[in-house]
Amino acid sequence: MCQVLEDYRNELESTELRSVSKKCVKCKEASAAVVIRAGDAYCRGCFKDYFIHKFRAMLGKNRVIFPGETVLLAVSGGPSSFSMLYQVQEGISQNAHKKLRFIPGIVHIDEGGAVGQPVEERQRTLAELQALFRATGFPFYIIPLEQVLDLPSSVLESALSPSEKPSSTYKAAVDHFIQSNRSSCLTPQDQGQTSIPEVPEANTQILQQLILSAKTLTARQDLLSTLRQHLLVHTARTKGYSKLMLGDNCTRLAVKLLTSISLGRGAHLARDTGFSDSRYGDVISVRPMRDYSAKEIAYYNHLFHVPSVLIPSLDTKMPDKASVQRLTESFIIRLQADFPSTVSTIYRTSEKLQTACRSSSAADHSDRCLLCMCTLDTVVGKASAFQATLISEQLSKNTSSSAKILTQKLAPVEPEPVAPTGQCCSSGGREDCGRVERGGGCCSFANGAEMSDLRSLLCYSCQLTIKDISSVEHLPRYILSEAQRRHRRSQMKEEIGEFLLDDGDEED
Amino acid sequence: MAAPTVIHLEFGGGAELLFNGMKEHHVTLPSQSEPWDMKQLLVWIQQNLLKERPELFVQGDSVRPGILVLINDADWELMGELDYQLQDQDNVVFISTLHGG
Ligand SMILES: [Zn+2]
Ligand SMILES: [Zn+2]
């Protein structure tokens, strides 16, 4: 808090100086063009150096990306991810010791279907992105979000992670790389896409139904980001990339941090906002833009002509109170306007967070949330806040709907009438039968329709999101069939439980 | 100060959505006895260019927090913000940094 007040005072003082044309704080010669932090004014040239240096410093400091490694850049089209793309491009084109030595590719998840963008507009946007991606010379993939409908349930398994390599290995890898690759020009094996995949309209409808089945914008945004994340990881795996680079900037992460707390994701903050995130095991996400503020990025992109493509999202033109995410953003941005160190203070808090990592066996994922893949925070003692919340939830339900629930314990409650198109076997739509044949998960799990069975596989926050979804049947097949598998497994475990030695011995 | 002031306006980062999706605008500000300042410009934009949801662009007599302003490619914080006096052929850019514009 003291920090904030101090910076605020500096800001006030500097206001008085502003009328005089300011010199750059770095070179003290050129006149300033950009104010980055309170009082720190940079000229154009120094700002560029500072910006580029920060990207390298971030990667250099963390030593997570190895030379020669394949890295998939997730580019949403927004300023932050495009800025990241151009930083990588800049770094790759450098020579000798300054060169970034990994092999980049680009992925864009096209969410036009989910946000209800008209088809022609969607195609125009994609054509624009395609042209920009092609110009980088990197292989790229434009994946319609509709493809989540065809994901295998193995996406939800965290693959065995290559054990954390210490920094000595990093150095060895660099040396090895320099020796073996001195002259050869690096070209990725897969050249990426040549055309934008066609999306069957029926799939767009199923996707839209899924998004609309969430009753609140908060849940919709959360669901959308979960699906996007699964598709990104799947693309990285199938195209042979071991790292996924995300463009979250520090303003974004500050919003995400406070949003996560509001949405009950406190236990997962470190993974959600840290530099690297290994929840998926074999594909590690990194966030190299997390030191830049949204302002720095916007100024850089404007001054140095980094393009970006405007993509409508679920909250475009929405009022501030439309969702928790939106409200948190406007809260932080407004606070930032008066207290310029708001974002950096929140952001620095996020750096200090650590995941309390419970050791888990790689083969069994029953201790991971089905949706966000974080360690379940719902497996806790009887005296925990979580149990207390459950009890009060049950009690408040009782007052309205009799005491049935107490005896049945989380009995399947069907709160909303199910949309007819979402029904599986009963309505016998062609699309749905196809789903059944291919995955086998849909009917058997969803028709038994246990919202509560699904909820037991989720972390607290994902439970809240799922609670806002009118019917689990709208969820994509890969989620339902994996849910069914885990459910069966835990039932089986219960049945044979008495014959098993206790947990500790069981695992190796 | 008889001659009208011609300036170039640009909206980006999603702010253009509030202006019918038009990014660039060449505008002529009517002549007035005093030079135009940014405060007056914002009022003029609201009355003449802004198509919808003014609350997403302005707040009080300034721009909504999260919308950046550059005057001739320099941060407006260096130029006196609302008190900056516009000159003929000035270039003013508004960039939204808010998610989803
Ligand atoms: Zn300088
Ligand atoms: Zn979860």
Side-chain angles (χ1 to χ4, degrees):
Chain A
M1 210 55 211
C2 311
Q3 179 78 44
V4 174
L5 287 175
E6 262 168 41
D7 285 1
Y8 186 43
R9 212 166 291 135
N10 289 339
E11 175 72 0
L12 288 181
E13 282 161 18
S14 63
T15 316
E16 290 151 28
L17 298 171
R18 265 179 204 149
S19 47
V20 202
S21 166
K22 265 194 161 182
K23 291 274 177 249
C24 168
V25 294
K26 196 78 184 289
C27 64
K28 299 186 172 61
E29 277 175 21
S31 59
V34 178
V35 182
I36 303 172
R37 285 177 296 266
D40 273 1
Y42 281 62
C43 73
R44 211 182 143 96
C46 292
F47 176 58
K48 187 175 187 184
D49 293 344
Y50 153 89
F51 199 92
I52 292 173
H53 173 76
K54 200 143 99 168
F55 190 78
R56 289 157 184 289
M58 185 50 112
L59 291 180
K61 184 178 77 183
N62 288 285
R63 298 195 157 195
V64 176
I65 296 175
F66 281 50
E69 201 174 358
T70 49
V71 178
L72 192 58
L73 316 179
V75 179
S76 69
S80 206
S81 54
F82 255 109
S83 197
M84 173 175 82
L85 172 59
Y86 281 80
Q87 285 306 307
V88 170
Q89 208 185 1
E90 205 273 342
I92 297 277
S93 67
Q94 289 286 331
N95 44 25
H97 68 285
K98 278 181 131 184
K99 188 179 164 77
L100 292 177
R101 295 198 197 88
F102 56 83
I103 305 167
I106 303 169
V107 61
H108 168 76
I109 306 292
D110 159 29
E111 297 168 16
V115 304
Q117 207 183 4
V119 180
E120 310 84 68
E121 198 184 306
R122 192 174 172 184
Q123 281 166 349
R124 216 177 314 129
T125 308
L126 293 183
E128 204 178 327
L129 282 169
Q130 199 180 22
L132 290 170
F133 292 163
R134 189 166 286 148
T136 63
F138 301 158
F140 63 90
Y141 309 92
I142 293 176
I143 315 271
L145 188 64
E146 280 84 346
Q147 286 191 10
V148 284
L149 302 172
D150 298 317
L151 284 183
S153 55
S154 60
V155 176
L156 301 172
E157 288 164 25
S158 137
L160 205 64
S161 64
S163 55
E164 294 287 302
K165 297 175 188 169
S167 53
S168 59
T169 332
Y170 177 86
K171 194 167 181 311
V174 174
D175 292 343
H176 175 76
F177 178 84
I178 292 173
Q179 276 162 15
S180 59
N181 274 294
R182 186 143 263 169
S183 56
S184 71
C185 176
L186 281 174
T187 39
Q189 306 201 322
D190 190 345
Q191 287 304 317
Q193 252 171 4
T194 46
S195 63
I196 299 166
E198 294 261 327
V199 186
E201 208 193 312
N203 284 1
T204 305
Q205 276 170 10
I206 295 175
L207 181 67
Q208 268 170 11
Q209 230 166 38
L210 166 61
I211 300 294
L212 292 177
S213 73
K215 283 172 277 180
T216 58
L217 184 61
T218 303
R220 280 179 199 169
Q221 287 183 299
D222 197 50
L223 183 63
L224 188 63
S225 82
T226 302
L227 296 176
R228 180 199 305 130
Q229 191 60 34
H230 292 164
L231 196 51
L232 283 174
V233 169
H234 177 72
T235 308
R237 279 185 184 149
T238 52
K239 307 295 182 193
Y241 289 85
S242 51
K243 293 275 164 22
L244 191 58
M245 246 190 202
L246 307 173
D248 298 290
N249 61 51
C250 94
T251 312
R252 195 85 244 118
L253 287 172
V255 172
K256 207 166 169 181
L257 186 103
L258 287 199
T259 304
S260 287
I261 293 173
S262 324
L263 296 179
R265 293 189 59 82
H268 314 312
L269 287 180
R271 281 174 183 276
D272 285 352
T273 60
F275 174 77
S276 77
D277 173 2
S278 56
R279 77 181 77 170
Y280 296 97
D282 54 345
V283 175
I284 296 176
S285 314
V286 292
R287 300 186 177 90
M289 302 301 285
R290 70 194 301 271
D291 255 1
Y292 298 97
S293 70
K295 178 178 175 177
E296 283 167 9
I297 291 169
Y299 277 158
Y300 186 88
N301 288 3
H302 176 80
L303 292 175
F304 302 102
H305 312 288
V306 176
S308 58
V309 177
L310 184 66
I311 308 227
S313 62
L314 285 174
D315 56 3
T316 295
K317 284 204 251 178
M318 283 289 186
D320 285 346
K321 288 178 186 160
S323 70
V324 172
Q325 293 90 337
R326 188 79 172 168
L327 184 60
T328 310
E329 181 186 35
S330 95
F331 169 70
I332 289 180
I333 302 289
R334 269 157 213 255
L335 206 54
Q336 171 82 7
D338 291 333
F339 300 91
S341 41
T342 300
V343 165
S344 58
T345 306
I346 299 173
Y347 162 72
R348 263 183 268 126
T349 313
S350 83
E351 279 187 320
K352 297 189 181 82
L353 296 167
Q354 299 242 317
T355 319
C357 215
R358 259 187 292 147
S359 60
S360 63
S361 62
D364 186 14
H365 306 292
S366 55
D367 60 342
R368 301 281 199 109
C369 171
L370 181 69
L371 290 181
C372 71
M373 313 268 303
C374 284
T375 310
L376 283 181
D377 52 359
T378 49
V379 192
V380 283
K382 278 216 161 79
S384 63
F386 174 68
Q387 292 299 338
T389 315
L390 275 190
I391 289 170
S392 78
E393 187 188 319
Q394 287 191 4
L395 290 176
S396 54
K397 264 187 195 161
N398 283 342
T399 51
S400 57
S401 70
S402 86
K404 228 186 287 169
I405 295 158
L406 266 191
T407 49
Q408 280 182 283
K409 195 194 172 212
L410 286 175
V413 188
E414 286 288 21
E416 300 263 311
V418 178
T421 36
Q423 294 275 13
C424 267
C425 294
S426 46
S427 67
R430 214 161 47 85
E431 193 58 43
D432 290 322
C433 287
R435 287 174 75 177
V436 178
E437 271 165 36
R438 276 177 286 148
C442 167
C443 268
S444 27
F445 189 81
N447 258 7
E450 277 102 276
M451 188 68 97
S452 61
D453 284 347
L454 186 61
R455 280 179 65 181
S456 68
L457 303 170
L458 302 175
C459 72
Y460 176 65
S461 175
C462 292
Q463 285 186 13
L464 292 181
T465 300
I466 287 296
K467 212 154 86 179
D468 274 341
I469 290 177
S470 61
S471 157
V472 282
E473 284 163 44
H474 292 297
L475 290 173
R477 194 182 61 242
Y478 72 99
I479 295 178
L480 294 177
S481 54
E482 174 68 9
Q484 191 191 25
R485 199 186 65 83
R486 286 190 200 181
H487 195 65
R488 251 191 272 125
R489 202 186 154 89
S490 74
Q491 270 178 337
M492 194 167 74
K493 222 172 178 178
E494 232 167 76
E495 279 165 25
I496 60 170
E498 52 184 303
F499 304 111
L500 292 176
L501 301 172
D502 59 26
D503 263 17
D505 299 347
E506 180 201 5
E507 289 160 15
D508 193 27
Chain B
M1 254 332 258
T5 315
V6 177
I7 57 168
H8 178 242
L9 296 175
E10 198 181 318
F11 301 94
E16 67 270 32
L17 290 176
L18 305 171
F19 298 87
N20 264 353
M22 284 238 316
K23 283 192 161 196
E24 307 210 2
H25 302 251
H26 282 277
V27 301
T28 307
L29 302 172
S31 44
Q32 57 180 37
S33 52
E34 297 285 308
W36 282 79
D37 62 23
M38 284 297 288
K39 198 168 173 174
Q40 294 167 321
L41 176 67
L42 287 177
V43 175
W44 186 90
I45 288 175
Q46 263 189 89
Q47 288 168 351
N48 295 277
L49 293 179
L50 196 61
K51 298 296 179 201
E52 54 180 321
R53 296 177 200 249
E55 76 279 8
L56 297 186
F57 188 69
V58 284
Q59 187 187 301
D61 51 14
S62 189
V63 291
R64 180 191 187 200
I67 293 184
L68 307 176
V69 188
L70 290 106
I71 301 169
N72 300 328
D73 274 355
D75 197 331
W76 80 326
E77 289 181 33
L78 296 162
M79 314 284 281
E81 304 192 17
L82 290 171
D83 299 327
Y84 174 79
Q85 297 194 339
L86 287 160
Q87 286 159 27
D88 201 43
Q89 303 303 324
D90 269 352
N91 186 39
V92 183
V93 183
F94 298 88
I95 306 172
S96 172
T97 61
L98 298 161
H99 190 243

